[in-house]
Amino acid sequence: MKSRFRIGNGYDVHLLSPGLRLVLGGVDIPHTKGLVAHSDGDVAIHALCDALLGALSLGDIGHHFPDTSAEFKGIDSKILLERSYALILDKGYRLVNADITILLQKPKVAPYILKMRETLAQTLSKVNPDFPCAIDDISVKATTTEGAGFVGREEGVAVYATVLVEKICE
Ligand code: MG
């Protein structure tokens, strides 16, 4: 790969169902509904993984961590993020910054956003401490859809993620 910089985008949706766990950006959020998934359903982390993989044309999360595999049943999505980022570092690139937008109607997630940014930055930094990731490198935003569509009807949560990665200088 010739480019010093590469960008990637990711998008994921999970359905909401009563009584399940709602975890976004590695943070548990108390709510009456949670995310239906083979893994822990952290749709924000899944979108981020896809953005990272996309930046280096490495396919998608479903290719690397198939939801038909028992290995990934109920898995903490932070582990998927660590493994995805390890692939990026192995290719000789590091994350410059990530920008994540969560679309959900309820509950309000503003009180949890700083914790999500901290959790994601810590998870990424763990992969290789030589390339730490700062909280300021991870943006998390949230919006409702003003009641429109499947997000507005509280049927699901959608997340967009964009990343920039940079070649590690030797
Ligand atoms: Mg997913």
Side-chain angles (χ1 to χ4, degrees):
M1 289 180 182
K2 289 180 187 160
S3 301
R4 179 180 167 202
F5 293 104
R6 305 203 25 129
I7 62 165
N9 80 85
Y11 175 71
D12 196 22
V13 172
H14 279 266
L15 297 178
L16 285 164
S17 186
L20 297 179
R21 181 180 171 208
L22 178 62
V23 55
L24 292 170
V27 176
D28 272 281
I29 298 172
H31 191 45
T32 54
K33 292 180 176 180
L35 296 164
V36 179
H38 184 70
S39 67
D40 67 4
D42 194 326
V43 61
I45 285 186
H46 298 175
L48 179 57
C49 289
D50 262 355
L52 286 165
L53 295 169
L56 295 183
S57 305
L58 291 172
D60 60 32
I61 189 172
H63 169 75
H64 292 277
F65 316 110
D67 64 9
T68 49
S69 165
E71 182 189 354
F72 303 117
K73 182 151 179 57
I75 195 169
D76 181 338
S77 291
K78 294 195 296 297
I79 294 169
L80 305 182
L81 179 59
E82 288 172 18
R83 293 200 196 172
S84 297
Y85 193 41
L87 295 171
I88 304 307
L89 292 169
D90 284 349
K91 283 275 184 184
Y93 283 78
R94 60 179 284 273
L95 179 68
V96 177
N97 71 302
D99 187 18
I100 297 164
T101 302
I102 301 169
L103 284 70
L104 88 171
Q105 194 64 35
K106 279 184 189 168
K108 290 279 178 223
V109 293
Y112 304 98
I113 281 185
L114 179 61
K115 184 69 184 163
M116 288 184 211
R117 295 171 62 206
E118 287 172 351
T119 301
L120 295 171
Q122 283 168 6
T123 302
L124 291 161
S125 297
K126 246 172 69 178
V127 180
N128 186 335
D130 289 341
F131 303 104
C133 179
I135 293 171
D136 286 346
D137 298 331
I138 309 293
S139 161
V140 176
K141 314 190 296 294
T143 182
T144 72
T145 58
E146 302 284 345
F150 70 89
V151 169
R153 292 189 297 271
E154 300 173 50
E155 293 169 2
V157 177
V159 177
Y160 294 96
T162 304
V163 301
L164 181 71
V165 300
E166 178 182 27
K167 195 173 266 188
I168 297 164
C169 299
E170 278 106 42

